[in-house]
Amino acid sequence: DAGVTQSPTHLIKTRGQHVTLRCSPISGHKSVSWYQQVLGQGPQFIFQYYEKEERGRGNFPDRFSARQFPNYSSELNVNALLLGDSALYLCASSPSGGSNQPQHFGDGTRLSIL
Amino acid sequence: AQSVAQPEDQVNVAEGNPLTVKCTYSVSGNPYLFWYVQYPNRGLQFLLKYITGDNLVKGSYGFEAEFNKSQTSFHLKKPSALVSDSALYFCAVRDRNNAGNMLTFGGGTRLMVKP
């Protein structure tokens, strides 16, 4: 079975631009979470979506937004990009929204802001 | 609020020796605890979890972890290290009282296993 897939794998943008990152969860998984991993640090929670509803939001500015589609795939949007947004963006899926099941991560999208 | 501390940025161990990667946590309620491993240019790979029950949890690739409620710790262990275990290891916690499944990660510990 395919794991969590993310696209694109790498992206280079300039300050002020916007970006859309995409994630397809493992088949049968209904919850998708997004994390930001800055180089040298642990991942930081951005959003969780379950059944197309936002279930949680981390401490990120309103420039960050996300949505989940009927097929449970998800997009993360970031507007007005700043140099500090350069990071690895990880998507994780799990079968349900609040279970004790582990989240399964994709390989991430590496975003570089020039 | 929930938090995780991994006090060692790097752990060095010789191949064949036992290894320990330390983790302490803080949550307001009872925790779910997880260990993940990250190889270069890859996402996080699940190793093991503590939900309830036996304090010694066994996971993938011969790793295990011991939950200690009084010390709020969840140290990762392996009896005999392999060079291929060299990677970045993350401890994560989730408060089981939270409706969502937000994970809070530690800063990571780089494990270096030398031949």
Side-chain angles (χ1 to χ4, degrees):
Chain A
D1 286 341
V4 176
T5 58
Q6 293 187 243
S7 63
T9 55
H10 295 85
L11 203 50
I12 299 175
K13 292 286 188 178
T14 56
R15 283 178 297 173
Q17 287 187 311
H18 70 274
V19 68
T20 298
L21 310 181
R22 295 177 174 85
C23 171
S24 293
I26 291 172
S27 178
H29 285 194
K30 298 181 178 180
S31 176
V32 169
S33 296
W34 288 94
Y35 292 82
Q36 180 196 64
Q37 186 180 18
V38 173
L39 193 63
Q41 298 181 17
Q44 298 286 319
F45 173 76
I46 309 175
F47 287 110
Q48 182 202 357
Y49 276 78
Y50 174 63
E51 292 281 15
K52 294 164 285 182
E53 298 284 332
E54 183 183 299
R55 269 292 190 95
R57 174 185 285 256
N59 189 24
F60 280 81
D62 292 343
R63 299 185 294 109
F64 289 75
S65 63
R67 55 180 177 168
Q68 187 177 33
F69 299 99
N71 67 353
Y72 304 111
S73 67
S74 179
E75 285 182 352
L76 175 70
N77 295 284
V78 188
N79 293 324
L81 288 165
L82 303 174
L83 292 178
D85 295 332
S86 294
L88 180 67
Y89 287 84
L90 295 166
C91 175
S93 75
S94 59
S96 62
S99 74
N100 59 21
Q101 293 299 311
Q103 295 178 43
H104 298 269
F105 286 80
D107 284 339
T109 293
R110 186 162 298 282
L111 177 62
S112 298
I113 311 302
L114 302 180
Chain B
Q2 53 195 46
S3 64
V4 175
Q6 294 183 239
E8 303 152 317
D9 289 337
Q10 182 161 319
V11 169
N12 298 309
V13 64
E15 187 175 31
N17 283 358
L19 69 87
T20 298
V21 182
K22 296 179 180 177
C23 170
T24 57
Y25 66 91
S26 174
V27 293
S28 56
N30 290 314
Y32 294 139
L33 293 157
F34 302 84
W35 275 101
Y36 286 86
V37 60
Q38 187 175 35
Y39 296 98
N41 300 313
R42 300 297 301 273
L44 277 66
Q45 183 176 338
F46 169 72
L47 280 179
L48 52 80
K49 65 180 181 180
Y50 171 79
I51 302 301
T52 188
D54 194 351
N55 290 341
L56 185 63
V57 178
K58 295 187 182 297
S60 306
Y61 312 116
F63 284 93
E64 57 189 30
E66 186 168 13
F67 172 65
N68 187 316
K69 187 174 183 178
S70 63
Q71 297 185 3
T72 62
S73 67
F74 189 56
H75 300 331
L76 181 70
K77 300 181 180 183
K78 188 174 183 181
S80 178
L82 300 173
V83 172
S84 57
D85 292 331
S86 297
L88 194 53
Y89 290 79
F90 290 97
C91 180
V93 68
R94 183 162 82 225
D95 188 334
R96 66 178 65 196
N97 292 331
N98 288 341
N101 64 1
M102 177 189 84
L103 287 174
T104 297
F105 286 87
T109 298
R110 185 165 301 281
L111 175 66
M112 299 289 290
V113 182
K114 298 182 179 180

